[in-house]
Amino acid sequence: MQRPEPEPRSFDRVLSSMCTEPHPDARAAAERFLATNPGDPATYDAVADLEARAVEGLATLADHPSPGDAAGYVTSGGTEANVQAVRSARNRHDGGRGASDGSGGGGRALNVVAPASAHFSFHKAAAVLGVELRTVPLDGDYRADTDAVAAAVDDATALVVGVAGSTEYGRVDPIGELAAIADEAGARFHVDAAWGGFVLPFTDHAWSFDDAPVDTLTIDPHKFGQAPVPAGGLLAREDAALDALAVDTPYLETRSQATLTGTRSGAGVAGAVAAMDALWPDGYREAAERAADNADWLAEGLADRGYDVVEPELPLVAADVPEPEFAALRDAGWKVSRTGAGELRVVCMPHVTRSALRAFLDDLDRIRR
Ligand SMILES: *Cc1c(COP(=O)(O)O)cnc(C)c1O
């Protein structure tokens, strides 16, 4: 019996995903480099050169003081980048005494201090790396409460995390203040801009290497960067952050490797470069502005209908839509999700058009009648 060829989901009604339709150039580049492995750069040298360009491109977006010299690599996603940032900070803490067993040398577990809004990848990082994750409460507008962060750090704090574009509400933490707290505590400072990194350059928010003494930063091409999955990004201000991750690789042509994965996707690397070549800066600016307009429009439409709306800061809208209406929207084919507190959450990614949002509100109106 012939089975029907499976079709990937169309993005038409996908409203809560942080993935999007890749740029056509990125799709083509990914296909060309499908059978390459940047994990073995001496053999797959063309893709290794592309990876250097990807890092330079990402470092340019993130205002690295010298993008051509920035340390970093194309990860499998934001999760790997965040895990590696925690691992690097742990290994470097207290002159390297935090290496390997997670204890700060005195038998006490090292810790990472992050706002409660931090992505769940930090929970994975803590579990894998044997560090304690201290999540601290948010302020009244879903941002890290700096007093709570200051109270949570101590001399076993290896890393303080700030989120620039939180996964649930799209909020940007007070990056400058958090960096100062980290510095005072003798900890490294990491910014998680996995989702926000391709939008933030076109806003006034402080988030980048230029805005604060940021040590490491996560920025994912496969989210707002319109690159195909898998393409995340880890950047570091200094080589030492990546050197702290390197292990010896006896049987490869290159001698050491700082990545978490071994064999990895040349498609992700080539796709990321092609997307940035095509879209930085004007294409990304247009996408960011369109997304912000759409988020404002949707927030207003939901507020007009009497819902409690969390004002969008980046293009992400959360609104208190009751369960029966949420379920009816799902039944109508809308791929929407809820925040931990139960709000409907719409991420205005590049594929989310005004006409899709209009159809979404029309369906909501029908459901409410
Ligand atoms: C999506 C996201 C991640 C995780 O990235 P993956 O690519 O899904 O591994 C981490 N941090 C933030 C803020 C995110 O939005």
Side-chain angles (χ1 to χ4, degrees):
M1 198 178 79
Q2 192 77 23
R3 283 205 243 167
E5 186 71 19
E7 278 292 319
R9 159 163 301 286
S10 123
F11 277 101
D12 282 1
R13 294 192 158 216
V14 175
L15 298 187
S16 285
S17 178
M18 289 189 157
C19 295
T20 196
E21 191 76 65
H23 187 278
D25 293 0
R27 189 184 278 273
E31 202 175 315
R32 249 161 66 72
F33 280 85
L34 205 51
T36 61
N37 171 21
D40 186 2
T43 303
Y44 300 96
D45 45 330
V47 79
D49 292 347
L50 279 179
E51 182 160 33
R53 275 176 58 194
V55 169
E56 182 171 359
L58 292 171
T60 302
L61 263 85
D63 283 329
H64 190 282
S66 176
D69 304 322
Y73 73 96
V74 177
T75 63
S76 55
T79 298
E80 183 185 341
N82 287 341
V83 169
Q84 290 280 74
V86 172
R87 182 173 160 228
S88 172
R90 184 200 68 176
N91 290 356
R92 294 175 81 189
H93 189 68
D94 206 6
R97 287 202 301 151
S100 65
D101 69 350
S103 75
R108 210 154 41 112
L110 295 179
N111 66 74
V112 172
V113 175
S117 54
H119 186 263
F120 53 77
S121 47
F122 289 100
H123 293 268
K124 297 182 184 178
V128 171
L129 295 166
V131 301
E132 178 198 354
L133 179 63
R134 296 182 178 170
T135 52
V136 302
L138 306 180
D139 67 12
D141 196 25
Y142 308 100
R143 289 185 196 83
D145 180 327
T146 49
D147 290 339
V149 173
V153 296
D154 57 26
D155 60 5
T157 302
L159 187 69
V160 173
V161 175
V163 185
S166 59
T167 315
E168 284 200 316
Y169 298 105
R171 287 303 191 254
V172 182
D173 286 334
I175 296 302
E177 285 97 317
L178 294 176
I181 294 167
D183 186 49
E184 187 142 326
R188 301 286 174 341
F189 182 55
H190 177 71
V191 170
D192 184 1
W195 173 70
F198 281 79
V199 175
L200 286 160
F202 312 108
T203 69
D204 296 333
H205 292 289
W207 70 287
S208 72
F209 287 103
D210 189 43
D211 294 320
V214 174
D215 291 297
T216 51
L217 187 142
T218 294
I219 173 171
D220 283 358
H222 71 199
K223 288 183 171 172
F224 238 100
Q226 300 176 48
V229 181
L234 174 67
L235 295 175
R237 186 181 292 274
E238 300 171 357
D239 290 345
L242 244 67
D243 294 345
L245 298 169
V247 299
D248 295 337
T249 51
Y251 59 82
L252 296 185
E253 287 188 64
T254 35
R255 281 177 294 104
S256 80
Q257 195 175 77
T259 55
L260 188 57
T261 52
T263 300
R264 57 202 173 92
S265 169
V269 170
V273 171
M276 286 188 277
D277 280 352
L279 294 167
W280 171 260
D282 295 344
Y284 287 134
R285 179 184 292 108
E286 281 160 29
E289 286 170 359
R290 204 169 338 108
D293 288 347
N294 281 337
D296 289 341
W297 184 86
L298 178 65
E300 204 177 300
L302 290 167
D304 287 348
R305 286 163 176 79
Y307 298 107
D308 277 339
V309 178
V310 180
E311 269 309 303
E313 183 166 279
L314 296 183
L316 197 163
V317 182
D320 209 357
V321 173
E323 171 58 29
E325 291 167 33
F326 179 85
L329 287 166
R330 293 276 313 179
D331 288 345
W334 295 102
K335 295 297 177 193
V336 284
S337 69
R338 326 199 69 161
T339 63
E343 293 115 336
L344 165 87
R345 172 177 164 275
V346 172
V347 190
C348 293
M349 294 300 289
H351 68 268
V352 176
T353 60
R354 183 66 60 91
S355 69
L357 292 175
R358 222 173 255 127
F360 175 72
L361 286 185
D362 286 349
D363 276 1
L364 183 58
D365 288 338
R366 241 189 313 280
I367 287 161
R368 285 150 54 89
R369 273 203 290 274

